[in-house]
Amino acid sequence: TPHNELIHSMAYRAIYGGAQLDKYAANPVKAIRIQVENGDITLYGTVDSKSDKDVAGIRANTVPGVFSVKNEIQVAGREH
């Protein structure tokens, strides 16, 4: 829906707009994927550190109109 697409684009800019996470934007192996459904965001993918995972979740939570953020990002080299 247009609302989900808007939230997705705002979440993308929020997550990848900062210096800490921009390295994942161009990396198909380690990328942060954003799924939006009815105003709820789920984050997927693999990152290098827990702080990168946490920052992605925090930034996703700043997007206006988001009901919830579920952070399913995995940290490379760690068991699930």
Side-chain angles (χ1 to χ4, degrees), residues 5-78:
E5 291 170 18
L6 178 61
I7 289 177
H8 185 280
S9 65
M10 288 191 298
Y12 187 93
R13 284 196 300 273
I15 290 169
Y16 287 121
Q20 183 171 350
L21 302 178
D22 62 355
K23 63 186 173 185
Y24 298 111
N27 188 337
V29 176
K30 287 185 180 166
I32 298 167
R33 291 186 295 285
I34 305 160
Q35 179 181 325
V36 182
E37 190 171 328
N38 300 323
D40 297 317
I41 293 177
T42 305
L43 302 176
Y44 298 98
T46 303
V47 296
D48 293 327
S49 67
K50 184 175 184 317
S51 69
D52 286 352
K53 173 183 176 170
D54 293 343
V55 167
I58 290 165
R59 290 186 183 167
N61 271 299
T62 68
V63 176
V66 170
F67 297 121
S68 71
V69 175
K70 188 174 184 184
N71 194 338
E72 297 287 336
I73 294 172
Q74 301 296 321
V75 177
R78 293 199 179 184

